[in-house]
Amino acid sequence: MNEKHWLAWEGGVNLIAKTSDKLDSPNVIFHAGQVVHTPLGSAALGMFLWQPDPAAPPLRFGFVSAVPKVGAYLSDELFAGTPFQGAPNLSGNVATEIAGGKASARLEIPGYNVEIMLEDLSLPYLVQRSPTPAAPFHQHLLEAVAGKATLTVNDEPVEIVVSGSGIMGGPSAFTAPLGLYTR
């Protein structure tokens, strides 16, 4: 099988959550990779959806990177056919750290500093997932599930509800120290 589109990463930290258990779908999506490799280059990269009022449009939505062509590659190629196709590149900084049973990540974009902390990480395990409508690519990664997750937006703690499974077929709060998506 020839894979036209791909990305690989190191230092992935991920959260998919709701700000109320009354919501039907997540209104917080946060993915961050310390280094993401694509055919167009490598950079720290994040993916972010912040929609505190589910009845209103998201306040922030898109890919976060200091290298616009890397974010655009995900938007135009890897996530084609999903709600993230055509998402804007938000110029900003991404940082992650995974150590000692904890993982943290920070996205800094104009108007927003967003941080997540994942604690009580499971032992890492190998995952291989087939494409789905929400994630139309093969997923090959090392993954560790978080027992506890916290979110801070502009230095204010945000109450979140983390469900057992995420929109991409795996857990909703996890670290992926390394991985590969192919399509």
Side-chain angles (χ1 to χ4, degrees):
M1 169 179 4
N2 292 328
E3 300 295 338
K4 181 178 177 187
H5 306 293
W6 59 270
L7 73 80
W9 70 86
E10 303 167 34
V13 180
N14 308 279
L15 176 67
I16 300 169
K18 300 183 284 187
T19 54
S20 168
D21 59 3
K22 296 175 182 162
L23 298 178
D24 292 330
S25 59
N27 61 338
V28 176
I29 299 175
F30 182 117
H31 298 293
Q34 188 64 38
V35 179
V36 175
H37 306 284
T38 75
L40 299 181
S42 301
L45 183 78
M47 181 172 151
F48 185 52
L49 168 80
W50 174 235
Q51 187 178 13
D53 179 354
L59 294 179
R60 285 292 184 271
F61 169 67
F63 294 95
V64 178
S65 180
V67 182
K69 68 181 179 180
V70 174
Y73 172 79
L74 269 68
S75 174
D76 299 339
E77 305 294 337
L78 197 69
F79 283 86
T82 74
F84 279 90
Q85 180 177 357
N89 187 72
L90 307 171
S91 182
N93 296 312
V94 178
T96 72
E97 183 177 340
I98 303 168
K102 295 181 182 181
S104 63
R106 181 175 175 91
L107 299 177
E108 297 174 351
I109 55 178
Y112 289 89
N113 292 319
V114 185
E115 297 179 75
I116 63 172
M117 173 64 77
L118 305 180
E119 298 179 83
D120 304 328
L121 296 176
S122 70
L123 291 175
Y125 53 92
L126 183 62
V127 174
Q128 294 187 16
R129 293 188 185 97
S130 296
T132 67
F137 36 79
H138 297 274
Q139 300 178 45
H140 311 276
L141 57 144
L142 190 61
E143 183 174 273
V145 177
K148 179 181 177 186
T150 57
L151 170 68
T152 305
V153 177
N154 292 337
D155 299 321
E156 295 292 327
V158 176
E159 292 291 324
I160 56 172
V161 177
V162 179
S163 65
S165 79
I167 60 176
M168 294 183 50
S172 292
F174 68 100
T175 180
L178 50 94
L180 172 70
Y181 290 167
T182 61
R183 182 174 183 177

